[in-house]
Amino acid sequence: MVRKEKNPFSLKIVSIRLKTDRQVMSKERIDSPKAAIRVVGDILKNMDREHICVINMQTNGIPINCSICSIGTLNYAISNPSDLLKSSILSNAASVIMVHNHTSGSLEPSSEDIAITDRMIKVCDMVGIPLADHVIVGSDNSGYFSIREKNLLFFDRKIKYENEIDKLEFSRVAERRASDHEQIYIR
């Protein structure tokens, strides 16, 4: 009997699809933080934990969909750009607005709120889906804090990309050898 060995170098072919949940969007054009809060604020104000969501928009400001990307604790939610941009890429979004709630009712951004906004501005610029704003809504939906309106960060950055091979800088990536489980580094 001949046994067929599995190829250790085979790759699975995958496909990625966007899964639609319940409808929460409107046909209202989102051209201000107030409009963003009118669209998702009623959902976020009733939450007992922090939620971070992304509104994916067409070029004309009409929302395509909304993705709740992170559900945290009473006063903290963790997310990273890859989680925040999954639905944006799959939705062919022209721009995005981040919205999250503060269950305490305070509208003041934390240092973590500023840090994730800064990361998202940079990553969104690289991906080609600009971050239009990051809006914080309180627990009663009576007010909001727009990072763009307060000019806390510079949203119109121009990233310079290298066009000379000698100037490219790669991170070191760890790789394991299958035979001896020795970790080697590739430069």
Side-chain angles (χ1 to χ4, degrees), residues 20-176:
T20 303
D21 290 333
R22 63 188 175 97
Q23 187 85 14
V24 295
M25 291 286 97
S26 69
K27 293 294 181 191
E28 178 178 356
R29 182 170 182 253
I30 299 177
D31 55 2
S32 68
K34 285 182 184 178
I37 298 307
R38 279 194 303 271
V39 172
V40 296
D42 284 338
I43 296 165
L44 293 177
K45 75 175 185 181
N46 296 318
M47 301 300 178
D48 63 345
R49 293 172 281 173
E50 279 200 16
H51 286 60
I52 301 172
C53 69
V54 170
I55 302 172
N56 298 304
M57 297 186 303
Q58 299 172 8
T59 56
N60 60 2
I62 301 293
I64 299 168
N65 55 39
C66 175
S67 174
I68 295 177
C69 304
S70 177
I71 300 173
T73 64
L74 181 63
N75 60 356
Y76 195 77
I78 300 172
S79 197
N80 60 50
S82 62
D83 292 331
L84 294 169
L85 285 174
K86 280 180 190 177
S87 67
S88 307
I89 293 168
L90 292 172
S91 300
N92 293 322
S95 63
V96 297
I97 294 179
M98 283 177 56
V99 182
H100 86 275
N101 65 319
H102 280 177
T103 58
S104 66
S106 167
L107 299 177
E108 201 63 33
S110 66
S111 59
E112 291 85 7
D113 295 340
I114 299 294
I116 190 63
T117 306
D118 185 51
R119 281 183 73 194
M120 283 296 290
I121 291 169
K122 293 171 184 172
V123 171
C124 287
D125 282 349
M126 284 191 271
V127 173
I129 305 171
L131 179 67
D133 201 350
H134 181 178
V135 182
I136 300 168
V137 64
S139 56
D140 64 357
N141 207 17
S142 64
Y144 68 88
F145 187 99
S146 163
I147 290 179
R148 180 181 277 279
E149 278 186 353
K150 299 294 184 183
N151 294 317
L152 293 178
L153 295 168
F154 186 57
F155 278 80
D156 298 317
R157 302 177 194 208
K158 297 294 181 212
I159 298 173
K160 181 185 180 295
Y161 298 102
E162 292 298 340
N163 58 5
E164 296 178 33
I165 197 160
D166 296 342
K167 293 183 180 178
L168 293 177
E169 295 181 25
F170 289 96
S171 300
R172 294 183 82 185
V173 178
E175 180 182 276
R176 293 199 177 268

